[in-house]
Every structure is written in C-alpha cells, then in structure tokens.
Amino acid sequence: MEARTLRPRKDGVVGSSVAAASANPKKRKTRHARKGRKKRPRLQIDIIEEEQHEDEEDEEGEEDEEDEGEEGAQGAEDSDDERIERFVPLNLLNFKVVSSRVLIRYRFSSGRAKKGKKGQGRNSVHWARHRNALLKDFNKVPGTPLGTASRGPSNLLKSASSTQKWFEEDCPPVTIEALIERLPDPQREIDDIWTQEREEELLSKYPEDDTYRVYVESSEENLTTNYWSMYRKICRIRGVFPEDIVGERTMLQYAEEVQIGPRDWRPNPNWTKNFCKRLEQLAISSPCQENMDLLALFIRYVVACQLNDRRVVPMDNSNTGQMFFELMTTVMKEARGSKSLQEVGEDARSRWTSKGWKLPWEAKVLRGIESVAYNDEARPIIEGEVLRPYQVNTEDLEDLIFVFESMADTGYPVHNMDERQSVVSYARSAKDAPGDIGELGKLRWPLILSGIRFREKKRLIGEQGGQGGSVLDDHANLLGRGIIVDGLSRDPSPANELRSGGGSSQAGGGEDFGFDDDDDDEEEEEDQQQQQQQQQQQEEEDEEEDGDDDDDDEDMGDEEDLRTNCFW
C-alpha cells in the first residue's frame, strides 16, 4: 500500500501534505551504506577466507586473546569439532561450519548475522576498538575526576545489576492475556451521549473484512524489529500501550498515512524504525519517568511550536498537579491568537517569577522546546480553526530528546538518557507479548477503534454543548477532567469550588487564575457591603491599619492561590 507523510519537515519549515512522500525523508544511512558496501541479498551465506580471519585475530594481539578468556577458548574448541570438507553443498548446510579454508556464516534476511560462537560475536569482534576508545578518553580526564572515571564501569555494572533485580521482582514479563485485560472496555463509554445504538453503528462500519481493519490486524509491511522492541518495552515497563502516548486521547497522531482505497487515507499503524527508537527512548529514559501523560504533553507542545499554533494548546492533562500548566492555559486564552507560544511562555514565566517562585523543571522544558522547535516561518494557526490531533514525526521526538539532554544544573547535564536506555534494554528479558502479528492485531485494532470512538464522542459533545464551549473544553470534558458550564471549562472536583474564580480558569474575567497582583479579598468586599456606614465613620482613624491589613491580606491571598489553584 502507498504511504504518505502528513508533515514532512525540510530546512525547519513545515511543508504541505505530499501524496507520495517517503516515510522518512531524513533516514540515516545504514552502516553498510556509509562504508560503501552493497546491500546483501535476502538469501545469502557469507564465505570468508579463514586465512584472512586468522590475520584479523592476529592483529588484535595476545592481550585480546587473554581478555576473551574462557569464551574465546570455548569458541575455538567448537570450531575444531565442526570441521568439514569444502565440497559439501552449501544448500545442505543448516548450521555454522568452519573448514580449514572457509568460514560459512548464516545471516538473517535483514542482513544481520545470526548468533554464533562465543568469542566471535559483535561485542567480541569490537572489543579492542571499545577498549582503545575507553583508554584514549581516560587519558584526557583531569586529575580531580579521575577517580570517578575509574569507577565508571563498576558503577555501570551495579546499575545493570539493580535494574535486572527490579525486572525480576517488580516487573515480570507480561503475557498477551494480561495485555488484553488492559484494553479499554467499550461498555464503560455507554452513556446518554454515546448510546448503545451508536456503539453498534460504529461496530457495523468495521466488519472483520474491512480493508483498514485487516491491514491493522495482519499487515507486517515495514514492521521492523525496533517496532516490536518498542511495543513490548512500553507495555511491560510503563504499563500502557504506545497508542496511549501517540493516540486520540492525547491529541496526537503518527504523521504518516496509508492508502487503503481511492482517496481513502488512514493513519499508518506500522511506525518507522527511527520513530520507534526515539519513542522507546523517551518512554523509558526521559525525566517524565512513568508519567506518560506528561510525555505526551511535551510531544504535543513540540508539534504546536513547529506549526506556530496560536490556539489554546491542550495542557490540562499533565497528571502532575503542576499549576504552571494552568497558568500557560490562562495566558493563551488571554492572548486570543495574538501571541506566539514563545511569547506566551515568556509571559507565563514572567508572572510566575514575579511572585518570587522558582521555575519548576516542567517550565524549563517548555522553554527549551520553544527555543528548539519554534518555527516562525510557518503560517500562524489562529483561534477558530478546528483543533485536530497533532501530527508527530521522528524529528519532533528528536527535538524533545535534545531538550531533555540539554537540561543542566551548574553546567552539568541532569539526564543521561543513552546510558539509562542501554542498561534497561540489557536488563530486560525478551519474553514479552505480543509475540507475533496475530497477538499484535488483537491489541492494535481495539485501541484504534477506541480512538475512533473517543473522537466521535467528542464531536457529539461539541454539537450538543457547543453553544459556548470550545473543542478544548469538549476534550477535557470527555476525559473526565472538566465539565462545561456557561461555555467555560470547570473542574468537576468539589474541592476546586473553593478556588478563586469559582474553579474557573477563564481569561479576561478580572481574575487572572490567581496570578494578578491586584486580587481583591472576598471577605473585605463583604465587610464593605454590610458595614459601609461604619467604615465611612472610621475611615480617617483606621487608614493606616487598613493599609497594613491590605498588605497582609494580599500576602495571604498569594498563599491561598498556591494551595487552591492546584489540580489535586
């Protein structure tokens, strides 16, 4: 099936949709391509002269042989036991064979060598190179941190050991039955808006022989090993599906579609290799840790900056209770499309620091995203345009990884994502579901159908309550994070009714989300109404006391704002 990229990025400028664009226009060259090697055929057996192989081993020197230890010796013994004559037909060989003149090595269809003898694997072959690089850099380390550098391998081993123990005790392998139980239950969506009749109508649109459903459930087109690795790790380690990160509920969609019919394009469920690698790295080793809602928010903000989106970007589902996101929403509502996200972020940070508060790390990430991903050459998307899921591509994920890795304190990087990723990948055992395309299809199609159901229900809510409510309010309402009252998004929690402004974060209503410097004390207003005559008589006598009380009330108001405006 033909595929197209919805948001191809070239020279930092967002292009229009191209019908026949490549899946990954900036795909890195493979190792073989960089070295000028030709791509291997699907069915092949590498024949390497043993004399040349022995010469390469001699070049490594005696130290390499000692470092290989028992593994190298065992590999040599196995090789001697499996010597045969060269006249044996190659098509009769189904195992690795070494003769006195040739070495026959089987490979997978992708070109990757199959697992062979101990001491002859990729790590053993490249051991000398890794050792030389380690010693070369170690000689450059200054005296003070030299001891820390010498303990690096030991600390890495301890991290790997503790991670393995965590997997064994707290994160066992997940089965397909356990994953199926995690799938969303359609019956929980049934209510006055999404009725049983609408559910049956939706199911009738996608029978078992539907073209798109068959593609989702059974297509292995461009399905790489990185996709399987990403899917299994996220399901096991984070307890969610990848579609819970990039899906309808987070207003994100993979930026590539597949054509299943004339003028019928649908989101491609088979994500590219590099996209899967970046998403896996973010899900496992980002500072968001297990909070995938926060990760989705950051990804959404990257795309919004790249698109120069000036609408109210959804930031109400961070699952953190961080009130800075509510401040960002307030500033965006006040701007009404007149400010870019860079200007919105600067305004929000200025208001925050004016209270004497330190910026939380989430605010610093947003600032980094603005500096890296903002595209001032893109046509601004203003208020009033339909708010659809943001199209995510590999470059967006790479921008977010760059921001995370650039975060530093006292100039020292805070997050080492590569090290954490490698340790976790090593410690995890490869016995997780889904095991094949059949099991994968049992998971992917219900998740995609759940996203379609979510989108249709959101549309119905917008039609029924759209006399003043926005698409953003409908989205929050559908997620259970807010209800629409008088066209405004309000938190349904009774605890938030005590917040200033009646639990509303509306803009331009005289109460700026508890961040205005001229907030009035409600108790003082009631006293002015009930005791107006007494205040007029004592106005001159108590003028200084009233001034002091106003200052105290304003300080107490700031503390109350901090307590009552949080999403807990």
Side-chain angles (χ1 to χ4, degrees), residues 193-194 248 251 387-389 452-464 471-476 478:
I193 298 177
W194 188 258
E248 286 284 347
M251 296 198 70
L387 191 63
R388 295 189 177 91
I452 298 174
R453 183 185 299 109
F454 182 87
R455 182 176 65 245
E456 290 299 316
K457 190 174 181 179
K458 182 171 64 176
R459 180 183 60 82
L460 294 173
I461 292 177
E463 292 177 355
Q464 296 184 10
V471 177
L472 181 61
D473 296 329
D474 300 337
H475 189 84
L478 190 56

Side-chain angles (χ1 to χ4, degrees), residues 23-135:
N24 192 351
K26 290 186 177 182
K27 183 177 181 181
R28 295 176 180 268
K29 293 183 178 180
T30 63
R31 176 173 58 86
H32 298 290
R34 287 198 301 269
K35 293 184 178 181
R37 301 179 182 178
K38 295 182 180 180
K39 185 178 179 180
R40 301 185 183 276
R42 289 185 59 84
L43 300 177
Q44 77 288 331
I45 300 177
D46 295 345
I47 301 179
I48 306 174
E49 292 296 335
E50 189 182 27
E51 296 178 356
Q52 180 182 358
H53 181 69
E54 293 177 353
D55 293 339
E56 293 177 355
E57 292 182 349
D58 293 338
E59 292 177 359
E60 294 180 358
E62 296 180 358
E63 293 182 0
D64 296 352
E65 295 178 359
E66 295 177 358
D67 293 332
E68 291 293 336
E70 297 180 359
E71 293 184 358
Q74 182 67 29
E77 293 176 2
D78 294 341
S79 300
D80 294 335
D81 294 339
E82 296 181 356
R83 293 184 180 276
I84 66 170
E85 297 297 332
R86 180 170 182 152
F87 63 84
V88 177
L90 296 181
N91 59 355
L92 297 180
L93 298 176
N94 57 1
F95 52 87
K96 185 176 180 181
V97 183
V98 176
S99 71
S100 59
R101 298 184 59 187
V102 296
L103 172 66
I104 302 175
R105 179 180 300 165
Y106 277 86
R107 308 183 71 88
F108 291 106
S109 59
S110 62
R112 181 170 58 90
K114 290 187 177 181
K115 185 177 180 181
K117 303 299 180 181
K118 293 183 178 180
Q120 298 178 7
R122 184 178 64 175
N123 292 334
S124 298
V125 172
H126 297 294
W127 162 249
R129 179 169 60 85
H130 293 318
R131 183 197 59 190
N132 294 335
L134 182 63
L135 294 177

Side-chain angles (χ1 to χ4, degrees), residues 467-487:
Q467 298 180 355
S470 65
V471 177
L472 181 61
D473 296 329
D474 300 337
H475 189 84
N477 183 26
L478 190 56
L479 289 173
R481 297 186 176 94
I483 57 177
I484 300 176
V485 180
D486 300 331

Side-chain angles (χ1 to χ4, degrees), residues 7-15 302-310 340-342 369-380:
R7 290 183 52 245
R9 290 171 58 173
K10 183 178 181 180
D11 298 332
V13 181
V14 179
V302 171
V303 182
C305 287
Q306 178 64 211
L307 294 174
N308 196 6
D309 192 356
R310 300 195 175 189
S340 66
L341 287 178
Q342 277 189 330
I369 292 174
E370 295 162 11
S371 63
V372 171
Y374 177 67
N375 182 14
D376 57 355
E377 298 182 10
R379 180 185 64 85

Side-chain angles (χ1 to χ4, degrees), residues 95-323:
F95 52 87
K96 185 176 180 181
V97 183
V98 176
S99 71
S100 59
R101 298 184 59 187
V102 296
L103 172 66
I104 302 175
R105 179 180 300 165
Y106 277 86
R107 308 183 71 88
F108 291 106
S109 59
S110 62
R112 181 170 58 90
K114 290 187 177 181
K115 185 177 180 181
K117 303 299 180 181
K118 293 183 178 180
Q120 298 178 7
R122 184 178 64 175
N123 292 334
S124 298
V125 172
H126 297 294
W127 162 249
R129 179 169 60 85
H130 293 318
R131 183 197 59 190
N132 294 335
L134 182 63
L135 294 177
K136 179 180 178 181
D137 294 335
F138 189 80
N139 291 332
K140 299 178 182 179
V141 178
T144 303
L146 192 60
T148 303
S150 65
R151 293 188 295 269
S154 176
N155 293 333
L156 194 61
L157 286 174
K158 292 179 181 179
S159 300
S161 177
S162 63
T163 305
Q164 278 185 318
K165 184 177 180 181
W166 177 80
F167 272 108
E168 295 173 358
E169 297 179 355
D170 301 328
C171 189
V174 63
T175 62
I176 185 62
E177 292 78 12
L179 292 179
I180 292 177
E181 291 180 358
R182 295 182 189 175
L183 293 173
D185 185 4
Q187 294 302 318
R188 294 185 178 180
E189 299 290 341
I190 303 299
D191 53 20
D192 295 339
I193 298 177
W194 188 258
T195 61
Q196 184 65 38
E197 291 75 12
R198 295 187 184 277
E199 176 66 21
E200 295 176 357
E201 181 182 357
L202 174 64
L203 296 177
S204 64
K205 292 181 180 179
Y206 298 96
E208 293 184 357
D209 59 347
D210 178 76
T211 305
Y212 185 53
R213 178 174 179 177
V214 172
Y215 184 82
V216 172
E217 292 181 337
S218 60
S219 175
E220 297 186 69
E221 183 180 3
N222 299 325
L223 204 61
T224 64
T225 56
N226 295 94
Y227 182 93
W228 291 102
S229 175
M230 175 271 302
Y231 209 98
R232 292 164 180 162
K233 289 178 183 178
I234 292 179
C235 288
R236 177 179 178 181
I237 298 174
R238 295 309 180 195
V240 300
F241 297 101
E243 291 83 357
D244 294 330
I245 304 174
V246 180
E248 286 284 347
R249 292 180 180 272
T250 57
M251 296 198 70
L252 294 174
Q253 178 183 319
Y254 176 55
E256 183 177 306
E257 293 183 335
V258 61
Q259 186 177 17
I260 63 172
R263 299 182 180 180
D264 189 2
W265 295 84
R266 306 288 180 87
N268 192 348
N270 297 344
W271 302 342
T272 60
K273 170 184 175 181
N274 287 333
F275 185 88
C276 294
K277 291 173 64 177
R278 305 299 181 266
L279 183 61
E280 175 187 325
Q281 185 177 9
L282 286 169
I284 293 178
S285 56
S286 76
C288 300
Q289 298 183 10
E290 72 279 0
N291 192 346
M292 296 297 99
D293 290 335
L294 180 60
L295 176 60
L297 185 151
F298 287 142
I299 297 175
R300 190 164 56 241
Y301 198 69
V302 171
V303 182
C305 287
Q306 178 64 211
L307 294 174
N308 196 6
D309 192 356
R310 300 195 175 189
R311 299 167 298 180
V312 181
V313 181
M315 306 191 77
D316 61 330
N317 58 340
S318 66
N319 198 21
T320 61
Q322 177 53 253
M323 56 191 295

